[in-house]
Amino acid sequence: MLEKLFRLKENKTTVRTEIIAGLTTFMTMAYIIALNPNLLTGFGAEGADLWNGVFMATCIASAVGMFVMAFLANKPFAMAPGMGLNSFFAIVVANIVTITGLSYVESFQTALCLILVEGVVFIILSVLNVREQIVDAIPLGVRLGIAPAIGMMLMNIGIGSNAGVYSETGGPFFVMRDFFGALTAGLARDNMGSGYAQMVLSVVTMFIGLFVIVILAKKGIKAAVILGMLAASIIYWIGQALFLSSNPFASLASASFLPPVKDMVATTLFKFNFSGLAQIGWFTVVTLIVTFCIIDMFDTIGTLVGTASRAGMLDKDGKMPNMKEALLADAVGTVVGSATGTSTVTTFVESASGVEAGGRTGLTALTTGIVFLACMFIAPIAAIIPAAATSSALIYVGVLMLSGLKKVNFDDMSEIVPVALMLIAMPVSGSIGHGIGLGLIAYTVIKVFTGKAKDVSVLTYVLSAIFLIKFFLVA
């Protein structure tokens, strides 16, 4: 049955490989299950009911999006409420509170209307092939640079911002900035106070996990990534017990394993506050919807193209089969997210970890989606996966994705300049979409002013203009 559904032999994979890949993807992105409701509710400041509602919505919307990806597109890509987009959503909610005087929950329900419209627009654009045409409008040279740029972004997340440490002196303190960035170990210790021991443990865990993955991968073991993460987790748990004098499993003793369905029904399930839209002004509403659409569209496109490139799923023209169906998956996930109570659902860059573990079909996405649903019951278990262990996988996958640079023509300035800009823009801005936007603008400007304006398609001109407007004119 699984062979017929996902064409495993045709894609040179097995059920075991796909399931391991799905679990690997889940482990690298499990943080979103708790982080998304934290970001959308001020880390619980707006009440436990709303937090629980967003938590449930995160699990459900992510799973539905992945099921569509699995059965409609047969691709191994996972999705969840997008980082960056959820922070922007929280800012929008806070602004609605200021403008209208509505409560945070009522403003939250108003913002869900924006996400609903965005999702519906994306479904229409996907069905009409407009989003696929936008993908095709991205020049091949720019497309070739997306995967390496995402690789840089993954490494930046893994070693830069994934494993934060707090202490009595403040925080979060990060590995690259506050540990390796300190002039001396003494200064780092003084800066982090009691958090220094945890930071050292995080660094040791991260790099041991990375080296385990590399060594296992060199030996041809397909489960290298998930085994490396498991080894790193065990090291971290032992370190917690021995050096930090804390029980790594203490949270499980008082944890609840019952899904808070009642809280979701009370706060977010189909709780659209359309009357609130009129209070913030229709021009603002349209501007916000367009902003959500642009960021989400290019984040998703970039992740799909970059990860598919690494997996060898692109044809000679740099196009991915079933792109339309893959794009439809995040649109459906976004609509479900708005109905259940979360921000825009998008394809996750951490999908690259599952692809690197051998995932090639929708069975990988299906596996990840099932575990996301299970997290409504086992979220406390997912929460004990240390961030340092996921960093090992993110750094490893990021390094591998840099190999795409060998396909870039370094003798063509209209190709290498956009790619170079994306390599720095994506990790620094934290946005795949913004990186692609800078790449498109650079490509267009160079072509026009070197007498090759005819090489640029009309849609590429339009996309470049849209990004210029977004960067410089939209308030």
Side-chain angles (χ1 to χ4, degrees):
M1 180 180 176
L2 291 176
E3 167 61 37
K4 185 177 180 181
L5 277 174
F6 300 111
R7 305 193 302 276
L8 301 177
K9 290 181 181 178
E10 179 184 326
N11 288 282
K12 300 177 182 179
T13 185
T14 65
V15 172
R16 179 179 178 276
T17 297
E18 294 291 302
I19 291 176
I20 289 175
L23 292 174
T24 301
T25 298
F26 168 76
M27 290 180 70
T28 57
M29 61 184 289
Y31 66 86
I32 195 65
I33 295 169
L35 183 56
N36 190 54
N38 279 344
L39 290 174
L40 296 190
T41 66
F43 287 79
E46 302 303 329
D49 291 353
L50 182 60
W51 194 100
N52 287 336
V54 178
F55 160 75
M56 290 289 292
T58 301
C59 295
I60 294 170
S62 301
V64 170
M66 284 183 267
F67 293 159
V68 175
M69 180 69 75
F71 295 114
L72 198 60
N74 194 26
K75 299 298 180 187
F77 307 120
M79 48 192 53
M83 289 299 297
L85 286 163
N86 49 15
S87 297
F88 181 59
F89 180 92
I91 292 171
V92 169
V93 174
N95 286 337
I96 293 175
V97 171
T98 302
I99 294 171
T100 65
L102 296 171
S103 68
Y104 190 92
V105 173
E106 291 171 326
S107 299
F108 189 98
Q109 294 165 349
T110 300
L112 288 178
C113 299
L114 303 175
I115 306 303
L116 174 64
V117 174
E118 177 199 354
V120 171
V121 168
F122 273 178
I123 288 177
I124 295 172
L125 293 180
S126 298
V127 171
L128 296 178
N129 293 324
V130 174
R131 294 179 80 190
E132 193 169 2
Q133 290 175 22
I134 290 174
V135 175
D136 293 341
I138 299 175
L140 180 59
V142 176
R143 263 183 272 173
L144 291 175
I146 292 175
I150 290 176
M152 290 290 291
M153 185 175 177
L154 284 173
M155 286 191 290
N156 185 54
I157 293 170
I159 202 170
S161 60
N162 190 46
V165 172
Y166 292 85
S167 73
E168 76 284 350
T169 62
F173 302 108
F174 295 119
V175 172
M176 183 57 72
R177 185 190 68 193
D178 300 296
F179 185 81
F180 291 113
L183 290 176
T184 66
L187 287 174
R189 187 184 304 110
D190 293 341
N191 185 36
M192 288 180 249
S194 62
Y196 183 73
Q198 184 181 351
M199 174 59 74
V200 171
L201 178 60
S202 295
V203 173
V204 171
T205 298
M206 183 184 301
F207 283 97
I208 290 180
L210 173 62
F211 296 144
V212 169
I213 293 172
V214 171
I215 292 168
L216 292 178
K218 287 286 287 183
K219 292 181 178 293
I221 298 175
K222 288 188 175 181
V225 176
I226 196 168
L227 290 175
M229 291 174 65
L230 179 60
S233 296
I234 293 172
I235 290 168
Y236 192 88
W237 293 331
I238 293 174
Q240 275 186 289
L242 294 180
F243 304 111
L244 302 184
S245 300
S246 64
N247 180 0
F249 311 114
S251 61
L252 297 179
S254 58
S256 172
F257 291 88
L258 294 176
V261 177
K262 185 182 295 185
D263 291 340
M264 180 178 68
V265 172
T267 57
T268 61
L269 186 63
F270 294 109
K271 291 295 192 293
F272 296 115
N273 182 17
F274 288 102
S275 62
L277 295 179
Q279 297 184 51
I280 61 178
W282 292 110
F283 178 79
T284 301
V285 168
V286 172
T287 301
L288 289 173
I289 291 173
V290 170
T291 302
F292 272 118
C293 285
I294 290 175
I295 297 173
D296 181 28
M297 181 177 296
F298 285 92
D299 276 6
T300 297
I301 288 172
T303 302
L304 287 174
V305 172
T307 309
S309 174
R310 174 63 197 170
M313 295 179 181
L314 303 184
D315 60 23
K316 59 183 177 62
D317 297 319
K319 298 179 181 180
M320 185 184 79
N322 293 343
M323 176 64 83
K324 173 182 176 179
E325 291 80 1
L327 291 169
L328 188 60
D330 83 296
V332 173
T334 295
V335 171
V336 173
S338 68
T340 52
T342 186
S343 54
T344 306
V345 172
T346 186
T347 305
F348 252 53
V349 69
E350 284 83 356
S351 300
S353 63
V355 167
E356 203 51 50
R360 293 295 182 271
T361 75
L363 183 53
T364 294
L366 176 62
T367 301
T368 308
I370 289 173
V371 182
F372 259 80
L373 277 185
C375 276
M376 292 189 296
F377 301 89
I378 62 170
I381 295 176
I384 65 173
I385 300 172
T390 63
S391 287
S392 302
L394 293 174
I395 296 168
Y396 172 72
V397 175
V399 170
L400 294 180
M401 294 186 77
L402 288 178
S403 65
L405 286 173
K406 64 187 178 186
K407 300 177 183 178
V408 177
N409 183 2
F410 282 80
D411 295 324
D412 184 351
M413 294 302 290
S414 67
E415 189 166 315
I416 188 57
V417 171
V419 170
L421 288 173
M422 288 193 296
L423 286 171
I424 190 66
M426 285 190 195
V428 172
S429 70
S431 170
I432 295 172
H434 287 176
I436 294 174
L438 281 173
L440 286 172
I441 292 169
Y443 173 86
T444 303
V445 169
I446 293 172
K447 284 291 187 182
V448 169
F449 288 96
T450 55
K452 297 181 179 179
K454 292 182 179 180
D455 291 350
V456 184
S457 70
V458 174
L459 191 49
T460 301
Y461 279 118
V462 172
L463 294 176
S464 299
I466 288 174
F467 273 108
L468 283 170
I469 292 170
K470 182 191 181 304
F471 288 147
F472 295 105
L473 297 180
V474 175

